Amino acid sequence: MDKLLETLLETRRLTEEQWRELLARRDSLDRAELFDLARAERQRWFGNRVYIRGLIEWTNVCKNNCYYCGLRRDNHRVRRYRLTKEQILACCEAGYRWGFRTFVLQGGEDPGLSPEAVAETVAAITARYPDCAVTLSLGEWEETVYRLWYEAGARRYLLRHETADEGHYRRLHPPELSLRHRMDCLYTLKNLGYQVGAGFMVGSPGQTDETLAKDFCLLQELQPEMVGIGPFLPQHDTPFGREKPGTLEDTLVFLALIRLTLPPVLLPATTALATLDPRGRSLGMEAGANVVMPNLSPPSVRESYALYDGKAATGAEAAEHLADLRAQLAGLEIAIDRGDAPTKQP
Ligand code: SAM
Ligand code: SF4
């Protein structure tokens, strides 16, 4: 076995230099062996269970201008929408019937969505579905706001760090956004008691082995309960509209390496991966992923939540077609429970 992989398995960490070295020769790693190791780790913590999360795309209005994202404020070609509390509760009702016990409420940083309105919706969901978890993914806010949402019942927060390298962060974002503030938010969330999800796009413009090594070091330090990674995919109305997408191979190798670094992590095979390749979902599972997040948003708005071109929205991506999803998870079973991050090995 690769010496550095052996070290990773023994200690669950590498130095930045070791990460750089391992990442630089990732194309010559024995992938079958790597994926076997990742699946064995997943099996140890989760058995055959895969977790489903119902993704509700709350609003596509955003005050930010990230260069990669189709929801950025300067993209005037998107039809903007914001779901009402009643629409969200209707999504949850359908999702609950289909077996979802986690609802992920995601959206742009929408100045028209007040913190109080978010809290009210979270409280309504947790009152109606006490056996369900509410995850939020609404970007960067003040500590007081995160606390308000925690008190309303939210227990998980997804906030990808995007890149742990200052210079790369600058390449992906306009000057008013900073890596420092993003990281402060992640630690604030953790201190408030949230289970947090960090992560990054694979193959985003300017990503190198050096920036990736920092991403892996950051994950070792932060020890997030969830990690979201998926390929960068260009959106034609953004400044990165002509950039190359991330690759399937890299995404799969990184999924496996994350499973080996953080064995009990909740790790989705993302929609972006399924968009990049129709086998993406199953291959992600084979590389150690254990979460899928089908779309529970009202079908009428799904097209408008256009982060990138060609976003998969049908078949196994759609919450109403869980049978399609089951067929792609050969050998694994969908768990009908909240699926919290495990604290100790079963
Ligand atoms: N606004 C919140 C935020 O930025 O954290 C949540 C919504 S945002 C659309 C969710 C994630 O979508 C981002 O963290 C980013 O990694 C991903 N994303 C945005 N544009 C993308 C693209 N072109 N390709 C792949 N992923 C993208
Ligand atoms: Fe807004 Fe999030 Fe898209 Fe950035 S990634 S433009 S914060 S929705």
Side-chain angles (χ1 to χ4, degrees), residues 59-73 106-109 137-140 162 173 177 182 201 305 307:
T59 168
N60 71 350
V61 180
C62 191
K63 67 178 165 60
N64 292 334
N65 227 354
C66 308
Y67 299 139
Y68 44 84
C69 176
L71 306 190
R72 64 199 303 273
R73 72 163 183 265
Q106 194 187 71
E109 288 184 27
S137 178
L138 297 169
E140 300 174 29
E162 312 296 0
H173 302 96
L177 295 175
R182 194 102 178 150
M201 292 175 289
Y305 201 80
L307 312 182

